[in-house]
Amino acid sequence: MSTKPITAGEITASPGERARGFLTAEVGRGITVRMPVVVINGQEDGPLFAVTAGVHGAEYPGIEAAIRLSRDLDPSDIRGAVIIVPLVSVAAFQRRAVYVNPLDGINLNRVCPGNPSGTITEMMAALLFQNVIGQAEYYIDMHGGDMIEALIPFTLYYRTGNQALDDRSRALAEAYGIPIIVGTTVLRGGSYGAAAAMGKPAVLTEAGGQGILDEPSTQMHIRGVRNALKQFGVLEGSPEPLPAPDYYDRFVWLASEQDCVYYPKVVVGQRVKGGELLAEFTDLFGEKIGELRSPVDGPVLFLVTSPAINKGDPLMAIGAK
Ligand SMILES: [Zn+2]
């Protein structure tokens, strides 16, 4: 029997209990950030898992999966504990903001682990790390394509160079069950990378997109978290048997060099070759002003579907070996 209460911010769950409330922070300009959090504490000792969603507020299947898991996981079935933040960026959800936190225009997944005296979004990242991720032993961050992105499901983990840690992150990715796994070596300020850099097995999982709350993607996330909890002994049982995944070593982002109208020439999931035409760009008169060719071979993992592109905006990403 565990007798250890688990606390996240001002929320405490005794062994065998579920507790819920908000992580709060005064972030300046008279704004108080309120981040929902649910602590599900088991009755026996075991690992502490952190699960987040809604780092990007329009990636709905992950948010929905987190809400359902926060209600359905039964403390009496759990060894250890699970802390779930179903919606990190509440303001982005409310305002249907793409990529960034509308309170300051910053992408939370570029500033982790945050800064308690930084910008609003940096303070939110710090709130999350100090109260939830920092105390966890494992971390899952659920995403999907944003409001203007299509994607095929995939899982990212950050390869730190510490083989034992990287093997556990990969095992977490495999247990989640999405059949495309990308082990990156680039830290972009994402919460999963920051958690891995702190020594925690961590994954970012992607399913769904384009602002649609669809049930298959929601189920993919729910099954993934449950399988991961089984893999590491939090829930009883073994993860369901899964086909061997495809592994990639790099997540090659392609961004626009100019303001333009964007015409993708590929579909999401398509396997492209190096040099293959990926997209064309025109000005507002329809005159062609550029094109994009693939620097690598591999599948198109996500694809921006809006034609309205600004200089520096992402266009798509390709998984590369
Ligand atoms: Zn996202």
Side-chain angles (χ1 to χ4, degrees):
M1 285 279 282
S2 163
T3 53
K4 201 173 62 169
I6 302 288
T7 296
E10 291 166 13
I11 308 307
T12 297
S14 298
E17 278 188 4
R18 178 195 329 269
R20 63 191 195 185
F22 292 89
L23 305 175
T24 60
E26 307 289 332
V27 294
R29 297 185 357 215
I31 299 169
T32 303
V33 164
R34 284 160 57 82
M35 215 178 270
V37 62
V38 182
V39 182
I40 305 156
N41 195 0
Q43 286 175 315
E44 291 180 53
D45 280 329
L48 177 50
F49 259 78
V51 179
T52 59
V55 162
H56 299 129
E59 297 172 358
Y60 303 127
I63 297 167
E64 174 65 15
I67 291 171
R68 291 194 208 167
L69 285 161
S70 77
R71 300 176 66 84
D72 294 345
L73 287 173
D74 187 334
S76 62
D77 293 338
I78 282 177
R79 275 192 226 103
V82 184
I83 304 178
I84 300 177
V85 177
L87 178 58
V88 171
S89 299
V90 175
F93 179 82
Q94 289 171 333
R95 298 204 206 161
R96 305 188 190 115
V98 176
Y99 302 144
V100 299
N101 178 357
L103 299 177
D104 62 4
I106 290 175
N107 183 342
L108 192 143
N109 225 27
R110 298 288 175 271
V111 299
C112 288
N115 174 358
S117 50
T119 67
I120 293 174
T121 300
E122 288 171 337
M123 283 191 257
M124 288 169 59
L127 182 71
L128 192 61
F129 270 79
Q130 286 172 351
N131 293 287
V132 177
I133 299 167
Q135 65 174 314
E137 294 163 75
Y138 298 89
Y139 174 47
I140 297 169
D141 186 30
M142 295 188 281
H143 286 247
D146 213 317
M147 193 83 80
I148 57 161
E149 286 173 350
L151 60 73
I152 54 168
F154 62 95
T155 296
L156 296 172
Y157 73 100
Y158 172 61
R159 288 185 284 137
T160 61
N162 171 342
Q163 196 60 49
L165 172 61
D166 298 350
D167 286 349
R168 288 203 298 159
S169 286
R170 190 167 109 159
L172 183 57
E174 288 169 350
Y176 204 88
I178 291 176
I180 294 179
I181 295 175
V182 187
T184 69
T185 53
V186 181
L187 271 183
R188 297 171 60 97
S191 60
Y192 74 105
M198 297 164 103
K200 303 166 192 302
V203 292
L204 182 159
T205 60
E206 298 263 13
Q210 295 185 295
I212 300 165
L213 174 55
D214 74 291
E215 189 61 19
S217 301
T218 303
Q219 288 298 335
M220 186 173 287
H221 280 304
I222 290 172
R223 277 207 323 271
V225 171
R226 286 186 175 276
N227 279 329
L229 294 177
K230 287 177 185 168
Q231 174 76 25
F232 293 95
V234 176
L235 287 177
E236 203 67 55
S238 312
E240 53 192 316
L242 298 157
D246 251 350
Y247 296 100
Y248 296 89
D249 299 326
R250 287 186 296 146
F251 187 48
V252 179
W253 280 69
L254 302 171
S256 181
E257 293 172 355
Q258 57 204 331
D259 295 352
C260 62
V261 186
Y262 167 54
Y263 297 93
K265 298 297 178 187
V266 291
V267 294
V268 72
Q270 185 175 333
R271 283 170 190 275
V272 299
K273 294 274 183 213
E276 187 169 337
L277 181 68
L278 301 177
E280 290 181 347
F281 311 112
T282 75
D283 64 16
L284 293 173
F285 301 100
E287 296 290 341
K288 185 172 167 182
I289 55 174
E291 62 179 32
L292 176 69
R293 290 184 179 272
S294 183
V296 292
D297 295 354
V300 176
L301 296 180
F302 83 73
L303 180 71
V304 170
T305 53
S306 165
I309 292 292
N310 308 293
K311 183 177 180 181
D313 282 351
L315 301 168
M316 63 184 78
I318 298 170
K321 300 272 185 187

